[in-house]
Amino acid sequence: MTSRRNFLQKLTLSAVSLPLIPNFTQNSQASMNHNTKKASTLRVAIMGLGSYATRVAKAMLDSKNAKLVGLISGTPSKIKDWQATYNIPDKNCYNYENFDAIKDNPDIDAVYIITPNALHHPQTLRVAAAGKHVICEKPMAINAKEGREMVEACNKAGVKLLVGYRMHFEPNTLEIIRLREDGAFGEIKFFQGLSGFRIGDPTQWRLNKELAGGGAMMDIGIYSINGARYMVGEEPEWVTAQETKTDPVKFKEGVDETITFQFGFPSGVISSCLSTYSTSHLDKFFLNGTKGFAEMQPSTGYGPIKAWTNKGPLNFPHVTHQTVQMDRMAGIILDGETAKIPVDGREGLKDLIIIDAIYKAVDTGKKVKIDLT
């Protein structure tokens, strides 16, 4: 944990020294222009070689349009192991102190940041300054202020910022949205999102406010926040929220164990959601309208996703979410394609604004207005 803190301090100091408008060298400008050129394959370096990065890397082996070509890690032994597994050359491997040098590496188009939440902001600023596209795991940052700075930095650098919303490409999810838009469920009235599991090791970074930015809400609750928005098809106007903490030793100050929260939408739709680190097997979405309903359980896990409506089950074959995600993101970055449900930095920022509002509602006990403009 101490080493994580040291990394955070170093990276934060590095980010502070960077201007939001990068001064590009000729090499970095050339690299940026190369990255935005149409190409058949998105060449990706993964930053942070933990368990989820492993899942992404394995999924990319089956990608048609994305390829793992580089590694960034603070652990030399991990880099050596990954090099052997994925045939990554030494020249494409970096640590957290020297990865700014990717600006001079034409073999890398984008960096996928899969590190603790608090590191996303400084690392994104540095990757953008190097002229490389950014794919960042969710939550995009630990608050909306950081999220805005990330969006601004990538815009000014002329690179794209995408967020790892794998469910935005999942076929059952997209089919329910299509049915809702076609009026199959009538006038939408209610949404329920349940997101939770029992967290284990009390020393892990997810239970460290400095690195996680919070607790369950930042890790699993964001699925119900984002899901409420794309399932209802509107943006929430207000939120109320209540926190429950049964283990203040494991869940210290600023690390939420369980939060229930309620949204109000412009059309009158209401939602009731739960985010928790203390109850397992909570992964359910329920959308109800005047003519029918849709239900998913599991709704956001790695799959297979199970979904049905009042007319019967949906039977889409399971596909590895991260494989589809990376292929689609390659199209977005290289060919200007768009996603049915956005996955850009602005989408990530909206979730951060809502998370800030939820924590404010918990702290004040009042209904909090949500302004996504």
Side-chain angles (χ1 to χ4, degrees):
M1 195 62 69
T2 301
S3 61
R4 289 266 190 206
R5 289 197 186 96
N6 291 338
F7 280 142
L8 177 57
Q9 290 168 354
K10 289 178 183 177
L11 290 167
T12 301
L13 287 173
S14 299
V16 169
S17 68
L18 288 170
L20 280 182
I21 305 177
N23 293 316
F24 290 105
T25 63
Q26 286 186 341
N27 284 338
S28 61
Q29 185 65 59
S31 176
M32 183 185 73
N33 290 340
H34 177 82
N35 291 347
T36 54
K37 240 173 97 172
K38 277 199 174 186
S40 59
T41 302
L42 180 70
R43 297 164 302 173
V44 180
I46 289 182
M47 180 185 294
L49 307 183
S51 60
Y52 189 70
T54 299
R55 185 179 291 272
V56 171
K58 288 180 178 178
M60 287 177 66
L61 292 174
D62 295 322
S63 293
K64 297 177 181 177
N65 304 315
K67 182 180 180 180
L68 176 62
V69 300
L71 306 171
I72 304 171
S73 174
T75 307
S77 60
K78 284 187 178 181
I79 289 180
K80 289 299 182 184
D81 289 344
W82 279 58
Q83 282 187 276
T85 301
Y86 298 103
N87 194 29
I88 308 297
D90 289 340
K91 66 184 180 68
N92 289 357
C93 296
Y94 304 85
N95 59 43
Y96 292 130
E97 283 72 36
N98 69 12
F99 74 80
D100 307 276
I102 60 173
K103 69 179 183 295
D104 298 318
N105 190 334
D107 294 340
I108 296 173
D109 300 314
V111 176
Y112 195 157
I113 298 173
I114 313 178
T115 55
N117 305 337
L119 304 184
H120 295 175
H121 171 263
Q123 289 169 342
T124 292
L125 298 190
R126 290 173 66 185
V127 172
K132 303 298 182 179
H133 301 292
V134 180
I135 303 171
C136 184
E137 255 314 301
K138 58 194 177 302
M140 192 173 78
I142 61 172
N143 56 52
K145 178 181 180 295
E146 288 190 353
R148 288 189 182 93
E149 291 173 355
M150 292 163 69
V151 171
E152 182 180 1
C154 290
N155 285 342
K156 289 183 177 179
V159 299
K160 292 184 179 177
L161 171 59
L162 305 183
V163 185
Y165 289 116
R166 58 187 168 81
M167 301 309 300
H168 291 201
F169 307 109
E170 197 280 319
N172 294 280
T173 302
L174 293 173
E175 176 64 6
I176 289 173
I177 291 171
R178 185 192 69 79
L179 290 169
R180 186 206 72 223
E181 291 178 340
D182 288 349
F185 310 128
E187 183 181 353
I188 301 301
K189 293 294 187 180
F190 176 73
F191 171 79
Q192 180 187 49
L194 304 177
S195 300
F197 64 91
R198 290 186 65 86
I199 197 163
D201 180 8
T203 67
Q204 63 182 283
W205 70 262
R206 288 176 178 83
L207 297 176
N208 181 326
K209 185 179 186 298
E210 185 182 41
L211 290 172
M217 183 61 63
M218 302 299 291
D219 182 29
I220 191 71
I222 192 171
Y223 284 100
S224 281
I225 293 171
N226 195 251
R229 295 174 51 227
Y230 62 68
M231 294 289 278
V232 172
E234 299 180 43
E235 301 291 10
E237 292 184 314
W238 56 259
V239 64
T240 55
Q242 308 80 36
E243 181 176 8
T244 301
K245 188 171 291 191
T246 65
D247 187 349
V249 174
K250 189 172 187 177
F251 304 100
K252 297 176 175 60
E253 182 68 26
V255 179
D256 49 285
E257 177 184 353
T258 300
I259 294 178
T260 54
F261 55 100
Q262 305 79 40
F263 291 138
F265 294 85
S267 67
V269 177
I270 58 172
S271 72
S272 177
C273 299
L274 172 66
S275 163
T276 185
Y277 265 159
S278 63
T279 305
S280 294
H281 311 300
L282 280 181
D283 184 7
K284 178 181 178 180
F285 285 175
F286 177 71
L287 185 70
N288 185 259
T290 55
K291 294 182 180 178
F293 69 86
E295 192 164 1
M296 306 174 73
Q297 187 174 11
S299 57
T300 62
Y302 296 139
I305 300 300
K306 299 294 184 182
W308 57 96
T309 75
N310 52 294
K311 298 291 182 64
L314 303 181
N315 294 307
F316 290 94
H318 173 65
V319 290
T320 302
H321 299 169
Q322 293 81 4
T323 302
V324 178
Q325 172 195 327
M326 294 309 300
D327 278 339
R328 290 298 313 279
M329 285 186 168
I332 292 169
I333 290 173
L334 298 176
D335 301 327
E337 296 177 3
T338 59
K340 171 67 177 177
I341 316 170
V343 293
D344 59 4
R346 179 60 189 167
E347 177 76 1
L349 175 58
K350 288 179 179 180
D351 282 342
L352 293 175
I353 292 171
I354 294 170
I355 288 174
D356 285 354
I358 290 172
Y359 283 137
K360 183 177 180 181
V362 167
D363 290 341
T364 64
K366 297 179 180 179
K367 180 187 291 186
V368 174
K369 182 179 178 182
I370 297 172
D371 183 1
L372 296 180
T373 60

